[in-house]
Amino acid sequence: MTDRDDAPWLTLLGWGEGGTEGLTAASREALEAAELVFGARRHLRLLPALVAEVREWPVPFAEGIPRLLAERGRRVVMLVSGDPFWFGAGATLARHLPAEEWRALPAPSTFSLAASRLGWPLEACTCLGLHAKPLTRIRPYLQQHRHLLVLLRNGDAVRELAGLLVRFGFGGSRLHVLEALGGDDERLRSMRADADLPGDIAHPVAVGLEVAGDGPALPLTPGLPDALFEHDGQLTKQAVRAMTLAALAPRAGQRLWDIGTGSGSIAIEWLLVHPENQAVAFECHAERAARARRNADNLGVDWLEVVEGAALDVLKNQAQEDLLPPEAVFIGGGLSESLLEALWQRLPPGVRLVANAVTLESEALLAEWQRRIGGELLRIELSSAAPLGNRRGWKAGYPIVQWRVTR
């Protein structure tokens, strides 16, 4: 490690269950030159004798950051599992430091080690870090014949994951339980998700999953089947939902306000488009708000924020900085002149707004706003085949008037 004055004081050093055995020359040099070494307890147990001071990183993780920053100016090494920037601590720490103050020396990630043990091409696998996240987030990825690599917190989480697979109809999936990869205690065991799992699964653990079973996979296009949502009739139906999502035009990392969310279907499908998308659902009925939360959890998008209360009241009473502006707004319930006025005053330019109306009064309101503001006004009429005596005929649903406009 260089002694130049402008050298980074902090090294994020990739660390695995093999301890120093798998370290590169640069990583060994950094460790030997360190004045202070931070690491989790399971990492520190694999350290050789060092001249450096050694400190255990606290739990929760965030409590250690001020302690680390207080050591600025010393030669500090922080031991980080595998690759610090592949579901690791690197990104969290880098937010607190300018780039010139740190460097990263990665080791093979758990995903790389797991793929190499299983003989799976890593680029064809879906990699999920669920060691600190709800396991229901796996739901959108349960597609027949897919290979998933999943980081989990412990053996109980492996059993919980297997239970979810059975619940979702994928109990026939093959689980490859990989423990302590790269270390002396490395172990690989395989079984079906619906089999009796071992009771001695040890941390650190990852799972390779070959998805199988006849459970309903979530389609990759907008417009999930209505049966996937719990609802009380307040549901934007599949065909109209698909057209509405197309009008809202979700893009990666964008935020939606879903006003009058009902079952939460529009917000949930918005979130399913990309894992970095965000959605705030407004619902004035507590029972429907709870139902929207359940639907989000069951479909793997637990990060849906549900605000209970009328959207107009929330917009009037909540400070601008407390409710981050959206890139798109959908009005599926509670449409009124006052709501449109409040939104038009509050929303920044460029926001896409889509409103659906069923009643004559709400249709007239949208027609007037389209005349004044512009945008596109559509009338959507759908009919489905239904019994008509001993024959069949077309049964029309209520027509939907949809206004699409950019602020």
Side-chain angles (χ1 to χ4, degrees):
M1 184 175 184
T2 180
D3 288 327
R4 295 194 337 261
D5 290 340
D6 60 348
W9 63 271
L10 174 63
T11 298
L12 305 177
L13 195 151
W15 192 254
E17 289 297 299
T20 57
E21 289 184 12
L23 294 184
T24 63
S27 295
R28 287 179 181 273
E29 187 180 352
L31 192 59
E32 291 166 0
E35 298 175 272
L36 173 61
V37 176
F38 279 104
R41 181 178 300 175
R42 68 183 182 89
H43 293 153
L44 298 183
R45 66 181 171 82
L46 299 170
L47 275 177
L50 296 174
V51 175
E53 177 187 355
V54 175
R55 293 187 200 168
E56 183 178 337
W57 193 269
V59 178
F61 183 87
E63 290 185 4
I65 295 174
R67 303 181 196 183
L68 174 67
L69 299 179
E71 302 300 332
R72 182 183 271 111
R74 300 179 71 185
R75 289 194 301 273
V76 180
V77 165
M78 179 170 178
L79 306 179
V80 182
S81 295
D83 184 340
F85 289 91
W86 194 201
F87 289 98
T92 301
L93 295 172
R95 288 196 292 268
H96 297 271
L97 290 164
E100 64 272 13
E101 291 194 24
W102 60 270
R103 64 172 180 163
L105 300 175
S109 69
T110 302
F111 296 119
S112 295
L113 294 173
S116 67
R117 301 301 188 269
L118 297 171
W120 295 355
L122 188 55
E123 72 276 7
C125 297
T126 298
C127 298
L128 301 172
L130 301 184
H131 45 295
K133 299 289 191 301
L135 299 187
T136 49
R137 290 195 181 184
I138 202 169
R139 181 65 181 95
Y141 305 99
L142 296 180
Q143 308 276 338
Q144 281 273 10
H145 311 304
R146 300 304 301 164
H147 285 179
L148 312 182
L149 295 173
V150 188
L151 304 184
L152 297 169
R153 63 184 180 275
N154 54 28
D156 288 342
V158 177
R159 287 181 281 276
E160 182 183 346
L161 176 63
L164 282 176
L165 293 171
V166 172
R167 170 184 151 196
F168 292 138
F170 295 93
S173 299
R174 192 77 176 162
L175 288 181
H176 303 280
V177 181
L178 303 119
E179 301 161 80
L181 286 172
D184 293 339
D185 297 326
E186 179 177 312
R187 181 165 56 178
L188 167 59
R189 292 178 284 181
S190 301
M191 70 283 303
R192 281 174 54 113
D194 55 6
D196 290 332
L197 269 63
D200 61 345
I201 301 172
H203 176 74
V205 61
V207 165
L209 178 61
E210 298 178 71
V211 181
D214 55 5
L218 304 188
L220 300 180
T221 54
L224 297 183
D226 294 344
L228 289 175
F229 297 96
E230 177 191 348
H231 64 90
D232 61 357
Q234 294 298 310
L235 174 75
T236 303
K237 299 301 190 292
Q238 182 181 26
V240 175
R241 192 177 341 114
M243 299 174 73
T244 300
L245 263 294
L248 288 168
R251 298 159 199 171
Q254 292 194 334
R255 180 181 296 104
L256 170 74
W257 286 0
D258 180 4
I259 296 175
T261 195
S263 65
S265 61
I266 293 289
I268 289 168
E269 292 219 38
W270 172 279
L271 292 171
L272 284 169
V273 169
H274 195 275
E276 293 181 12
N277 282 7
Q278 303 167 49
V280 180
F282 299 84
E283 178 52 59
C284 56
H285 299 284
E287 186 176 343
R288 289 177 182 163
R291 186 177 292 115
R293 293 188 185 97
R294 289 196 299 273
N295 280 328
D297 186 56
N298 288 332
L299 292 170
V301 290
D302 58 281
W303 54 95
L304 174 66
E305 180 184 351
V306 180
V307 177
E308 292 190 36
L312 182 59
D313 294 338
V314 175
L315 293 175
K316 285 181 177 179
N317 299 327
Q318 200 157 23
Q320 196 93 4
E321 59 272 15
D322 293 336
L323 192 61
L324 295 175
E327 281 76 26
V329 174
F330 172 61
I331 306 175
L335 180 64
S336 68
E337 177 80 25
S338 299
L339 177 61
L340 290 174
E341 290 284 1
L343 286 169
W344 217 250
Q345 292 174 17
R346 179 156 183 161
L347 296 176
V351 173
R352 307 181 295 280
L353 185 145
V354 177
N356 288 355
V358 178
T359 68
L360 292 174
E361 291 79 7
S362 55
E363 284 185 18
L365 178 60
L366 292 187
E368 173 60 19
W369 273 74
Q370 191 268 343
R371 184 191 66 79
R372 288 165 43 195
I373 304 297
E376 186 178 6
L377 198 64
L378 303 177
R379 182 179 171 91
I380 304 168
E381 298 188 62
L382 297 172
S383 299
S384 57
L388 185 63
N390 60 356
R391 295 177 179 271
R392 292 180 302 153
W394 292 110
K395 182 179 180 180
Y398 286 113
I400 304 291
V401 170
Q402 185 177 88
W403 182 39
R404 309 172 176 185
V405 67
T406 298
R407 172 76 168 89

Short mmCIF file of all heavy atoms in Angstrom, two decimals, residues 298-356:
data_model
loop_
_atom_site.label_atom_id
_atom_site.label_comp_id
_atom_site.label_asym_id
_atom_site.label_seq_id
_atom_site.Cartn_x
_atom_site.Cartn_y
_atom_site.Cartn_z
N ASN A 298 -48.57 -9.75 -1.61
CA ASN A 298 -48.74 -11.03 -2.30
C ASN A 298 -48.10 -11.05 -3.68
O ASN A 298 -47.74 -12.11 -4.19
CB ASN A 298 -50.22 -11.38 -2.41
CG ASN A 298 -50.83 -11.79 -1.09
OD1 ASN A 298 -50.13 -12.30 -0.21
ND2 ASN A 298 -52.12 -11.56 -0.92
N LEU A 299 -47.96 -9.87 -4.28
CA LEU A 299 -47.39 -9.80 -5.63
C LEU A 299 -45.94 -9.31 -5.61
O LEU A 299 -45.37 -9.01 -6.66
CB LEU A 299 -48.26 -8.91 -6.51
CG LEU A 299 -49.64 -9.51 -6.81
CD1 LEU A 299 -50.55 -8.50 -7.48
CD2 LEU A 299 -49.52 -10.76 -7.68
N GLY A 300 -45.36 -9.23 -4.41
CA GLY A 300 -43.93 -8.98 -4.31
C GLY A 300 -43.49 -7.54 -4.40
O GLY A 300 -42.33 -7.27 -4.71
N VAL A 301 -44.40 -6.58 -4.13
CA VAL A 301 -44.02 -5.16 -4.17
C VAL A 301 -44.37 -4.50 -2.84
O VAL A 301 -45.18 -3.58 -2.76
CB VAL A 301 -44.68 -4.42 -5.36
CG1 VAL A 301 -44.09 -4.86 -6.68
CG2 VAL A 301 -46.19 -4.64 -5.38
N ASP A 302 -43.72 -4.97 -1.79
CA ASP A 302 -44.04 -4.52 -0.44
C ASP A 302 -43.72 -3.05 -0.21
O ASP A 302 -44.10 -2.48 0.81
CB ASP A 302 -43.26 -5.36 0.57
CG ASP A 302 -41.77 -5.28 0.34
OD1 ASP A 302 -41.29 -5.97 -0.58
OD2 ASP A 302 -41.10 -4.50 1.03
N TRP A 303 -43.00 -2.40 -1.14
CA TRP A 303 -42.59 -1.01 -0.94
C TRP A 303 -43.67 -0.01 -1.38
O TRP A 303 -43.41 1.19 -1.45
CB TRP A 303 -41.28 -0.71 -1.65
CG TRP A 303 -41.25 -1.04 -3.11
CD1 TRP A 303 -41.49 -0.18 -4.15
CD2 TRP A 303 -40.94 -2.30 -3.70
NE1 TRP A 303 -41.36 -0.84 -5.35
CE2 TRP A 303 -41.02 -2.13 -5.11
CE3 TRP A 303 -40.61 -3.55 -3.18
CZ2 TRP A 303 -40.79 -3.19 -6.00
CZ3 TRP A 303 -40.38 -4.58 -4.08
CH2 TRP A 303 -40.46 -4.40 -5.45
N LEU A 304 -44.87 -0.47 -1.69
CA LEU A 304 -45.97 0.45 -1.98
C LEU A 304 -46.30 1.26 -0.73
O LEU A 304 -46.51 0.72 0.35
CB LEU A 304 -47.21 -0.34 -2.41
CG LEU A 304 -48.50 0.48 -2.61
CD1 LEU A 304 -48.35 1.44 -3.78
CD2 LEU A 304 -49.69 -0.45 -2.82
N GLU A 305 -46.36 2.59 -0.88
CA GLU A 305 -46.75 3.47 0.23
C GLU A 305 -48.23 3.81 0.09
O GLU A 305 -48.64 4.40 -0.90
CB GLU A 305 -45.92 4.76 0.21
CG GLU A 305 -46.27 5.72 1.33
CD GLU A 305 -45.51 7.04 1.26
OE1 GLU A 305 -44.58 7.14 0.44
OE2 GLU A 305 -45.87 7.97 2.02
N VAL A 306 -49.02 3.40 1.07
CA VAL A 306 -50.46 3.67 1.04
C VAL A 306 -50.77 4.78 2.03
O VAL A 306 -50.47 4.67 3.22
CB VAL A 306 -51.28 2.40 1.39
CG1 VAL A 306 -52.77 2.71 1.35
CG2 VAL A 306 -50.94 1.27 0.42
N VAL A 307 -51.35 5.86 1.52
CA VAL A 307 -51.74 7.00 2.36
C VAL A 307 -53.25 6.95 2.54
O VAL A 307 -54.01 7.01 1.57
CB VAL A 307 -51.34 8.34 1.70
CG1 VAL A 307 -51.83 9.51 2.55
CG2 VAL A 307 -49.83 8.41 1.51
N GLU A 308 -53.70 6.79 3.78
CA GLU A 308 -55.13 6.73 4.06
C GLU A 308 -55.69 8.14 4.20
O GLU A 308 -55.19 8.94 4.98
CB GLU A 308 -55.38 5.91 5.34
CG GLU A 308 -55.06 4.43 5.17
CD GLU A 308 -55.54 3.60 6.34
OE1 GLU A 308 -56.61 3.92 6.90
OE2 GLU A 308 -54.83 2.64 6.70
N GLY A 309 -56.72 8.42 3.43
CA GLY A 309 -57.34 9.74 3.45
C GLY A 309 -57.65 10.19 2.04
O GLY A 309 -57.13 9.65 1.06
N ALA A 310 -58.53 11.18 1.93
CA ALA A 310 -58.86 11.73 0.63
C ALA A 310 -57.66 12.47 0.07
O ALA A 310 -57.01 13.26 0.78
CB ALA A 310 -60.06 12.66 0.75
N ALA A 311 -57.36 12.25 -1.19
CA ALA A 311 -56.17 12.87 -1.79
C ALA A 311 -56.23 14.38 -1.70
O ALA A 311 -55.20 15.03 -1.46
CB ALA A 311 -56.04 12.42 -3.24
N LEU A 312 -57.41 14.96 -1.89
CA LEU A 312 -57.52 16.42 -1.84
C LEU A 312 -57.13 16.94 -0.47
O LEU A 312 -56.40 17.95 -0.35
CB LEU A 312 -58.94 16.85 -2.19
CG LEU A 312 -59.21 18.36 -2.23
CD1 LEU A 312 -58.29 19.04 -3.25
CD2 LEU A 312 -60.67 18.62 -2.58
N ASP A 313 -57.56 16.27 0.59
CA ASP A 313 -57.20 16.70 1.95
C ASP A 313 -55.70 16.55 2.18
O ASP A 313 -55.07 17.41 2.80
CB ASP A 313 -57.97 15.86 2.98
CG ASP A 313 -59.46 16.12 2.95
OD1 ASP A 313 -59.87 17.19 2.46
OD2 ASP A 313 -60.23 15.24 3.38
N VAL A 314 -55.13 15.45 1.70
CA VAL A 314 -53.70 15.23 1.87
C VAL A 314 -52.91 16.32 1.16
O VAL A 314 -51.95 16.89 1.71
CB VAL A 314 -53.30 13.84 1.34
CG1 VAL A 314 -51.77 13.66 1.40
CG2 VAL A 314 -53.98 12.74 2.14
N LEU A 315 -53.30 16.65 -0.07
CA LEU A 315 -52.59 17.67 -0.83
C LEU A 315 -52.69 19.04 -0.17
O LEU A 315 -51.75 19.83 -0.22
CB LEU A 315 -53.13 17.74 -2.26
CG LEU A 315 -52.88 16.50 -3.13
CD1 LEU A 315 -53.58 16.65 -4.47
CD2 LEU A 315 -51.40 16.27 -3.33
N LYS A 316 -53.82 19.32 0.46
CA LYS A 316 -54.00 20.61 1.11
C LYS A 316 -53.21 20.71 2.41
O LYS A 316 -52.68 21.78 2.75
CB LYS A 316 -55.48 20.85 1.40
CG LYS A 316 -56.31 21.21 0.19
CD LYS A 316 -57.76 21.44 0.58
CE LYS A 316 -58.59 21.87 -0.62
NZ LYS A 316 -60.03 22.08 -0.26
N ASN A 317 -53.12 19.60 3.14
CA ASN A 317 -52.58 19.64 4.49
C ASN A 317 -51.12 19.23 4.60
O ASN A 317 -50.48 19.49 5.61
CB ASN A 317 -53.42 18.74 5.41
CG ASN A 317 -54.86 19.21 5.50
OD1 ASN A 317 -55.13 20.40 5.44
ND2 ASN A 317 -55.79 18.27 5.62
N GLN A 318 -50.59 18.56 3.58
CA GLN A 318 -49.22 18.07 3.66
C GLN A 318 -48.29 19.03 2.94
O GLN A 318 -48.56 19.47 1.82
CB GLN A 318 -49.10 16.66 3.06
CG GLN A 318 -47.87 15.91 3.53
CD GLN A 318 -48.07 14.40 3.39
OE1 GLN A 318 -48.87 13.95 2.61
NE2 GLN A 318 -47.33 13.63 4.16
N ALA A 319 -47.19 19.34 3.60
CA ALA A 319 -46.23 20.28 3.02
C ALA A 319 -45.64 19.71 1.74
O ALA A 319 -45.52 18.49 1.57
CB ALA A 319 -45.11 20.57 4.02
N GLN A 320 -45.26 20.61 0.84
CA GLN A 320 -44.72 20.21 -0.46
C GLN A 320 -43.53 19.26 -0.31
O GLN A 320 -43.42 18.26 -1.01
CB GLN A 320 -44.28 21.46 -1.23
CG GLN A 320 -44.07 21.24 -2.71
CD GLN A 320 -45.30 21.55 -3.52
OE1 GLN A 320 -46.31 21.99 -2.98
NE2 GLN A 320 -45.23 21.31 -4.82
N GLU A 321 -42.64 19.57 0.65
CA GLU A 321 -41.43 18.77 0.80
C GLU A 321 -41.70 17.41 1.45
O GLU A 321 -40.85 16.51 1.39
CB GLU A 321 -40.38 19.52 1.63
CG GLU A 321 -40.81 19.90 3.03
CD GLU A 321 -41.51 21.25 3.10
OE1 GLU A 321 -41.93 21.76 2.03
OE2 GLU A 321 -41.64 21.79 4.21
N ASP A 322 -42.88 17.22 2.06
CA ASP A 322 -43.19 15.96 2.72
C ASP A 322 -43.80 14.92 1.77
O ASP A 322 -43.93 13.75 2.13
CB ASP A 322 -44.17 16.19 3.88
CG ASP A 322 -43.53 16.99 5.01
OD1 ASP A 322 -42.29 16.96 5.12
OD2 ASP A 322 -44.27 17.65 5.77
N LEU A 323 -44.16 15.35 0.58
CA LEU A 323 -44.76 14.45 -0.40
C LEU A 323 -44.03 14.67 -1.72
O LEU A 323 -44.30 15.62 -2.44
CB LEU A 323 -46.26 14.73 -0.55
CG LEU A 323 -47.09 13.70 -1.32
CD1 LEU A 323 -47.04 12.34 -0.63
CD2 LEU A 323 -48.53 14.17 -1.44
N LEU A 324 -43.07 13.80 -1.99
CA LEU A 324 -42.22 13.98 -3.16
C LEU A 324 -43.05 13.99 -4.44
O LEU A 324 -43.99 13.21 -4.58
CB LEU A 324 -41.17 12.87 -3.23
CG LEU A 324 -40.15 12.87 -2.09
CD1 LEU A 324 -39.23 11.65 -2.20
CD2 LEU A 324 -39.33 14.15 -2.09
N PRO A 325 -42.73 14.89 -5.38
CA PRO A 325 -43.54 14.99 -6.60
C PRO A 325 -43.40 13.74 -7.46
O PRO A 325 -42.35 13.10 -7.49
CB PRO A 325 -42.96 16.23 -7.30
CG PRO A 325 -41.57 16.35 -6.78
CD PRO A 325 -41.62 15.86 -5.36
N PRO A 326 -44.46 13.41 -8.18
CA PRO A 326 -44.43 12.22 -9.05
C PRO A 326 -44.02 12.58 -10.48
O PRO A 326 -43.97 13.76 -10.85
CB PRO A 326 -45.88 11.75 -9.01
CG PRO A 326 -46.64 13.05 -8.97
CD PRO A 326 -45.80 14.01 -8.14
N GLU A 327 -43.73 11.55 -11.24
CA GLU A 327 -43.59 11.73 -12.69
C GLU A 327 -44.89 11.42 -13.42
O GLU A 327 -45.06 11.79 -14.58
CB GLU A 327 -42.48 10.82 -13.23
CG GLU A 327 -41.07 11.32 -13.00
CD GLU A 327 -40.59 11.13 -11.58
OE1 GLU A 327 -41.10 10.21 -10.89
OE2 GLU A 327 -39.71 11.90 -11.14
N ALA A 328 -45.80 10.72 -12.72
CA ALA A 328 -47.10 10.39 -13.31
C ALA A 328 -48.15 10.33 -12.22
O ALA A 328 -47.85 9.99 -11.07
CB ALA A 328 -47.03 9.06 -14.06
N VAL A 329 -49.38 10.66 -12.60
CA VAL A 329 -50.53 10.62 -11.67
C VAL A 329 -51.67 9.88 -12.35
O VAL A 329 -51.97 10.13 -13.52
CB VAL A 329 -50.99 12.04 -11.29
CG1 VAL A 329 -52.27 11.98 -10.44
CG2 VAL A 329 -49.90 12.79 -10.55
N PHE A 330 -52.30 8.96 -11.62
CA PHE A 330 -53.50 8.31 -12.10
C PHE A 330 -54.64 8.62 -11.15
O PHE A 330 -54.51 8.49 -9.93
CB PHE A 330 -53.32 6.79 -12.18
CG PHE A 330 -54.60 6.06 -12.49
CD1 PHE A 330 -55.28 6.30 -13.67
CD2 PHE A 330 -55.14 5.15 -11.58
CE1 PHE A 330 -56.48 5.64 -13.96
CE2 PHE A 330 -56.33 4.49 -11.85
CZ PHE A 330 -57.00 4.73 -13.05
N ILE A 331 -55.77 9.05 -11.71
CA ILE A 331 -56.98 9.29 -10.91
C ILE A 331 -58.00 8.22 -11.30
O ILE A 331 -58.57 8.24 -12.39
CB ILE A 331 -57.57 10.68 -11.16
CG1 ILE A 331 -56.50 11.77 -10.94
CG2 ILE A 331 -58.75 10.93 -10.22
CD1 ILE A 331 -56.98 13.17 -11.29
N GLY A 332 -58.20 7.28 -10.37
CA GLY A 332 -59.17 6.22 -10.61
C GLY A 332 -60.41 6.37 -9.75
O GLY A 332 -61.42 5.70 -9.98
N GLY A 333 -60.36 7.24 -8.76
CA GLY A 333 -61.49 7.47 -7.86
C GLY A 333 -61.36 8.85 -7.23
O GLY A 333 -60.26 9.39 -7.12
N GLY A 334 -62.48 9.41 -6.83
CA GLY A 334 -62.46 10.71 -6.17
C GLY A 334 -62.27 11.88 -7.11
O GLY A 334 -61.89 12.98 -6.68
N LEU A 335 -62.53 11.69 -8.40
CA LEU A 335 -62.34 12.76 -9.38
C LEU A 335 -63.29 13.92 -9.10
O LEU A 335 -64.49 13.72 -8.91
CB LEU A 335 -62.58 12.21 -10.79
CG LEU A 335 -62.43 13.19 -11.95
CD1 LEU A 335 -61.00 13.69 -12.05
CD2 LEU A 335 -62.87 12.52 -13.26
N SER A 336 -62.74 15.13 -9.08
CA SER A 336 -63.57 16.32 -8.85
C SER A 336 -62.84 17.54 -9.41
O SER A 336 -61.63 17.50 -9.67
CB SER A 336 -63.84 16.53 -7.36
OG SER A 336 -62.63 16.89 -6.68
N GLU A 337 -63.60 18.61 -9.58
CA GLU A 337 -63.01 19.88 -10.03
C GLU A 337 -61.94 20.35 -9.06
O GLU A 337 -60.84 20.78 -9.45
CB GLU A 337 -64.11 20.94 -10.16
CG GLU A 337 -63.62 22.33 -10.55
CD GLU A 337 -63.35 22.44 -12.05
OE1 GLU A 337 -63.96 21.67 -12.82
OE2 GLU A 337 -62.52 23.27 -12.43
N SER A 338 -62.24 20.23 -7.76
CA SER A 338 -61.28 20.69 -6.74
C SER A 338 -59.99 19.88 -6.78
O SER A 338 -58.90 20.44 -6.61
CB SER A 338 -61.92 20.59 -5.35
OG SER A 338 -63.06 21.39 -5.25
N LEU A 339 -60.10 18.58 -6.99
CA LEU A 339 -58.90 17.74 -7.04
C LEU A 339 -58.04 18.11 -8.24
O LEU A 339 -56.81 18.25 -8.12
CB LEU A 339 -59.30 16.27 -7.11
CG LEU A 339 -58.15 15.27 -7.25
CD1 LEU A 339 -57.19 15.36 -6.06
CD2 LEU A 339 -58.68 13.84 -7.41
N LEU A 340 -58.67 18.29 -9.40
CA LEU A 340 -57.90 18.66 -10.58
C LEU A 340 -57.23 20.02 -10.40
O LEU A 340 -56.06 20.21 -10.79
CB LEU A 340 -58.80 18.67 -11.82
CG LEU A 340 -59.27 17.28 -12.32
CD1 LEU A 340 -60.29 17.45 -13.45
CD2 LEU A 340 -58.10 16.44 -12.77
N GLU A 341 -57.93 20.96 -9.82
CA GLU A 341 -57.35 22.29 -9.56
C GLU A 341 -56.14 22.17 -8.63
O GLU A 341 -55.09 22.78 -8.87
CB GLU A 341 -58.39 23.22 -8.95
CG GLU A 341 -59.50 23.65 -9.88
CD GLU A 341 -59.05 24.71 -10.88
OE1 GLU A 341 -57.87 25.09 -10.85
OE2 GLU A 341 -59.90 25.14 -11.69
N ALA A 342 -56.28 21.38 -7.56
CA ALA A 342 -55.18 21.23 -6.59
C ALA A 342 -53.98 20.56 -7.25
O ALA A 342 -52.82 20.96 -7.01
CB ALA A 342 -55.66 20.41 -5.40
N LEU A 343 -54.23 19.55 -8.06
CA LEU A 343 -53.12 18.88 -8.74
C LEU A 343 -52.43 19.81 -9.72
O LEU A 343 -51.20 19.86 -9.79
CB LEU A 343 -53.63 17.64 -9.47
CG LEU A 343 -54.00 16.43 -8.61
CD1 LEU A 343 -54.74 15.38 -9.44
CD2 LEU A 343 -52.75 15.82 -7.98
N TRP A 344 -53.22 20.56 -10.48
CA TRP A 344 -52.63 21.43 -11.50
C TRP A 344 -51.76 22.52 -10.86
O TRP A 344 -50.76 22.95 -11.43
CB TRP A 344 -53.73 22.04 -12.36
CG TRP A 344 -53.30 22.16 -13.79
CD1 TRP A 344 -53.03 23.30 -14.49
CD2 TRP A 344 -53.10 21.08 -14.71
NE1 TRP A 344 -52.66 22.99 -15.77
CE2 TRP A 344 -52.69 21.64 -15.94
CE3 TRP A 344 -53.21 19.69 -14.61
CZ2 TRP A 344 -52.38 20.87 -17.05
CZ3 TRP A 344 -52.91 18.93 -15.72
CH2 TRP A 344 -52.51 19.51 -16.91
N GLN A 345 -52.14 22.95 -9.67
CA GLN A 345 -51.34 23.96 -8.97
C GLN A 345 -50.06 23.36 -8.38
O GLN A 345 -49.02 24.02 -8.31
CB GLN A 345 -52.16 24.61 -7.86
CG GLN A 345 -53.31 25.47 -8.35
CD GLN A 345 -54.19 25.97 -7.21
OE1 GLN A 345 -53.79 25.94 -6.05
NE2 GLN A 345 -55.39 26.42 -7.54
N ARG A 346 -50.13 22.10 -7.96
CA ARG A 346 -49.02 21.51 -7.22
C ARG A 346 -48.02 20.78 -8.10
O ARG A 346 -46.82 20.78 -7.81
CB ARG A 346 -49.57 20.53 -6.17
CG ARG A 346 -48.49 19.84 -5.35
CD ARG A 346 -49.04 19.39 -4.03
NE ARG A 346 -48.03 18.78 -3.19
CZ ARG A 346 -48.15 18.62 -1.88
NH1 ARG A 346 -49.23 19.05 -1.26
NH2 ARG A 346 -47.19 18.05 -1.17
N LEU A 347 -48.47 20.16 -9.17
CA LEU A 347 -47.58 19.32 -9.96
C LEU A 347 -46.59 20.16 -10.78
O LEU A 347 -46.98 21.18 -11.36
CB LEU A 347 -48.39 18.43 -10.90
CG LEU A 347 -49.30 17.40 -10.24
CD1 LEU A 347 -50.10 16.65 -11.30
CD2 LEU A 347 -48.48 16.41 -9.41
N PRO A 348 -45.36 19.73 -10.87
CA PRO A 348 -44.38 20.44 -11.70
C PRO A 348 -44.62 20.13 -13.18
O PRO A 348 -45.29 19.15 -13.52
CB PRO A 348 -43.03 19.87 -11.23
CG PRO A 348 -43.36 18.53 -10.69
CD PRO A 348 -44.75 18.62 -10.12
N PRO A 349 -44.07 20.94 -14.07
CA PRO A 349 -44.21 20.66 -15.51
C PRO A 349 -43.62 19.31 -15.87
O PRO A 349 -42.65 18.86 -15.26
CB PRO A 349 -43.41 21.81 -16.16
CG PRO A 349 -43.37 22.90 -15.13
CD PRO A 349 -43.35 22.20 -13.81
N GLY A 350 -44.21 18.67 -16.86
CA GLY A 350 -43.70 17.39 -17.34
C GLY A 350 -44.38 16.17 -16.75
O GLY A 350 -44.16 15.05 -17.23
N VAL A 351 -45.21 16.35 -15.71
CA VAL A 351 -45.89 15.21 -15.10
C VAL A 351 -47.00 14.72 -16.03
O VAL A 351 -47.77 15.50 -16.57
CB VAL A 351 -46.48 15.60 -13.72
CG1 VAL A 351 -47.32 14.46 -13.16
CG2 VAL A 351 -45.37 15.96 -12.76
N ARG A 352 -47.05 13.40 -16.20
CA ARG A 352 -48.10 12.78 -17.01
C ARG A 352 -49.31 12.47 -16.12
O ARG A 352 -49.15 11.84 -15.08
CB ARG A 352 -47.58 11.48 -17.65
CG ARG A 352 -46.29 11.67 -18.43
CD ARG A 352 -45.79 10.39 -19.07
NE ARG A 352 -45.41 9.36 -18.12
CZ ARG A 352 -44.25 9.31 -17.46
NH1 ARG A 352 -43.37 10.29 -17.59
NH2 ARG A 352 -43.97 8.30 -16.65
N LEU A 353 -50.49 12.90 -16.55
CA LEU A 353 -51.71 12.67 -15.77
C LEU A 353 -52.69 11.87 -16.61
O LEU A 353 -52.93 12.20 -17.78
CB LEU A 353 -52.32 13.99 -15.33
CG LEU A 353 -53.54 13.88 -14.39
CD1 LEU A 353 -53.54 15.02 -13.38
CD2 LEU A 353 -54.86 13.88 -15.16
N VAL A 354 -53.24 10.81 -16.02
CA VAL A 354 -54.27 9.99 -16.67
C VAL A 354 -55.44 9.88 -15.70
O VAL A 354 -55.25 9.55 -14.52
CB VAL A 354 -53.73 8.58 -17.01
CG1 VAL A 354 -54.84 7.72 -17.61
CG2 VAL A 354 -52.55 8.68 -17.97
N ALA A 355 -56.63 10.18 -16.18
CA ALA A 355 -57.83 10.08 -15.34
C ALA A 355 -58.87 9.24 -16.08
O ALA A 355 -59.10 9.43 -17.28
CB ALA A 355 -58.39 11.46 -15.03
N ASN A 356 -59.50 8.31 -15.35
CA ASN A 356 -60.58 7.48 -15.90
C ASN A 356 -61.90 7.89 -15.28
O ASN A 356 -61.98 8.08 -14.06
CB ASN A 356 -60.33 6.00 -15.61
CG ASN A 356 -59.20 5.43 -16.44
OD1 ASN A 356 -58.65 6.10 -17.33
ND2 ASN A 356 -58.85 4.17 -16.19
#
